[in-house]
């Protein structure tokens, strides 16, 4: 592992490393139904501690309550002629993010004209608010709290796009080799944090920082392996390393595995942090059982 200086945001914060593993007594695993296609790709948190999940291939958005009850709060139609690049499924639900008013925005890939960013309001039919290129693989999303725009990572198109849910305007905001795949998936997870858009590149095992002010992006962490989604806990990055079945933290003193298969991980695709609580979505794409793991970061 080689770690470069972790950018202005992490350097300015109090960076620390978390314990090798959270206490098992504080962990909870909510099992999901693989036979029903409940393979969670991404997480958005509700104010009451519920977790909203995109189920990758079914078009469903699920909600898991703090008590562990699972329900479906929205369905995006699966096109009969869908053919998503790279994975060749009829549909792929990627990132999900919650706006302050409660609207959920979901990145949808179909390989058809139905590809785009969708707004989901429980109890009503999802609505596409912006069209995105059918040739792309729409993956992580992040909300810009200042403008209300949504950043969408295209894992196949080597680009992060800025989307206005109000107008439907789409702009190629960042691109180039830093976001490009090697053999499959490039730009993956996206977060807006401390004046910048942060993007993980799964194939390259990197974390890239793009200032919101428009300066060029730069790699700030290397050697992460197949890194999927990530989040911030204070000045520390918490990242899901998908095919290696690990969740790691990255701080000034290095990278540390805090969760692994022994904790119930099965291809972790995404993480979310609220306070000291960590949520991990396990999709079981390559074996194991899908689940939502909740534990305490200390």
């Amino acid at each position: 592992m080689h770690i470069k200086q972790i950018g202005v945001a992490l350097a300015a914060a109090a960076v620390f490393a978390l314990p090798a593993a959270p206490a098992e007594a504080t962990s909870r695993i909510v099992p999901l139904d693989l036979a029903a296609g409940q393979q969670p790709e991404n997480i958005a948190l509700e104010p009451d501690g519920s977790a909203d999940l995109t189920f990758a291939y079914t078009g469903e958005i699920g909600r898991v309550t703090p008590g562990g009850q699972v329900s479906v709060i929205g369905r995006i139609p699966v096109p009969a002629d869908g053919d998503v690049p790279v994975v060749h499924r009829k549909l792929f639900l990627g990132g999900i993010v919650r706006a302050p008013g409660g609207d959920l925005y979901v990145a949808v890939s179909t390989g058809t004209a139905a590809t785009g960013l969708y707004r989901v309001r429980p109890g009503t039919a999802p609505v596409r608010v912006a069209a995105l290129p059918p040739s792309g693989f729409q993956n992580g999303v992040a909300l810009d709290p200042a403008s209300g725009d949504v950043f969408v990572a295209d894992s196949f198109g080597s680009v992060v796009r800025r989307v206005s849910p109000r107008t439907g305007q789409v702009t190629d905001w960042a691109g180039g080799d830093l976001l490009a795949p090697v053999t499959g998936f490039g730009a993956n997870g996206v977060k807006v944090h401390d004046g910048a858009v942060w993007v993980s590149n799964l194939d390259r095992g990197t974390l890239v920082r793009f200032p919101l002010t428009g300066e060029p992006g730069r790699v700030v962490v290397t050697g992460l392996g197949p890194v999927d989604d990530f989040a911030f806990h204070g000045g520390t990055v918490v990242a899901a390393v998908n095919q290696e079945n690990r969740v790691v933290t990255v701080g000034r003193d290095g990278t540390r595995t805090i969760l692994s298969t022994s904790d119930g991980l099965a291809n972790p695709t995404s993480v979310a942090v609220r306070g000291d609580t960590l949520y991990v979505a396990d999709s079981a794409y390559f074996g194991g059982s899908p689940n939502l793991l909740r534990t305490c970061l200390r």
Side-chain angles (χ1 to χ4, degrees):
M1 164 64 66
H2 173 65
I3 302 177
K4 298 181 179 179
Q5 184 178 2
I6 306 181
V8 175
L10 291 188
V15 181
F16 55 91
L18 299 172
E24 293 184 7
T26 64
S27 300
R28 175 170 186 174
I29 293 178
V30 177
L32 299 169
D33 188 347
L34 181 60
Q38 292 182 346
Q39 293 176 280
E41 175 61 26
N42 207 244
I43 309 171
L45 299 180
E46 293 288 333
D48 68 351
S50 296
D52 299 327
L53 306 173
T54 51
F55 293 142
Y57 301 130
T58 66
E60 294 179 338
I61 297 91
R63 177 168 290 171
V64 181
T65 68
Q69 290 75 40
V70 183
S71 62
V72 174
I73 61 170
R75 284 185 176 87
I76 293 169
V78 179
D81 59 344
D83 184 12
V84 179
V86 184
V87 297
H88 299 295
R89 303 289 288 262
K90 292 184 177 181
L91 174 145
F92 175 79
L93 295 191
I96 182 170
V97 68
R98 184 184 187 276
D103 287 344
L104 300 169
Y105 293 102
V106 177
V108 179
S109 300
T110 65
T112 74
T115 298
L117 183 71
Y118 283 68
R119 183 182 66 229
V120 177
R121 292 173 176 166
T124 65
V127 175
R128 190 176 72 166
V129 296
L132 293 169
S135 59
F137 190 95
Q138 317 307 326
N139 209 326
V141 299
L143 183 74
D144 178 6
S147 65
D149 290 348
V150 177
F151 292 98
V152 183
D154 185 337
S155 295
F156 196 55
S158 308
V159 66
V160 171
R161 298 184 176 92
R162 186 167 194 152
V163 179
S164 169
R166 294 179 294 101
T167 67
Q169 181 178 359
V170 179
T171 304
D172 286 0
W173 188 81
D177 290 344
L178 296 181
L179 302 178
V182 178
T183 58
F185 298 92
N188 201 309
V190 184
K191 292 292 183 291
V192 177
H193 176 75
D194 199 19
V197 176
W198 302 68
V199 188
S200 61
N201 186 317
L202 187 143
D203 273 2
R204 298 178 187 273
T206 56
L207 191 63
V208 186
R209 184 180 187 272
F210 294 91
L212 282 165
T213 49
E215 289 92 338
R218 63 189 181 96
V219 174
V220 290
V221 183
T222 63
L224 287 174
V227 57
D228 204 314
D229 187 40
F230 62 97
F232 290 89
H233 182 229
T236 296
V237 174
V238 184
V241 186
N242 190 317
Q243 291 97 318
E244 294 180 2
N245 298 311
R246 295 189 298 138
V247 170
V248 303
T249 58
V250 185
R252 278 184 178 170
D253 58 351
T255 296
R256 189 172 295 194
T257 297
I258 62 167
L259 295 168
S260 64
T261 52
S262 62
D263 300 290
L265 296 193
N267 306 130
T269 53
S270 53
V271 294
V273 175
R274 175 169 291 159
D276 289 332
T277 302
L278 170 67
Y279 298 74
V280 183
D282 290 294
S283 61
Y285 288 143
F286 309 111
S289 300
N291 65 76
L292 176 68
L293 184 151
R294 187 171 67 237
T295 192
C296 182
L297 292 170
R298 299 192 293 180

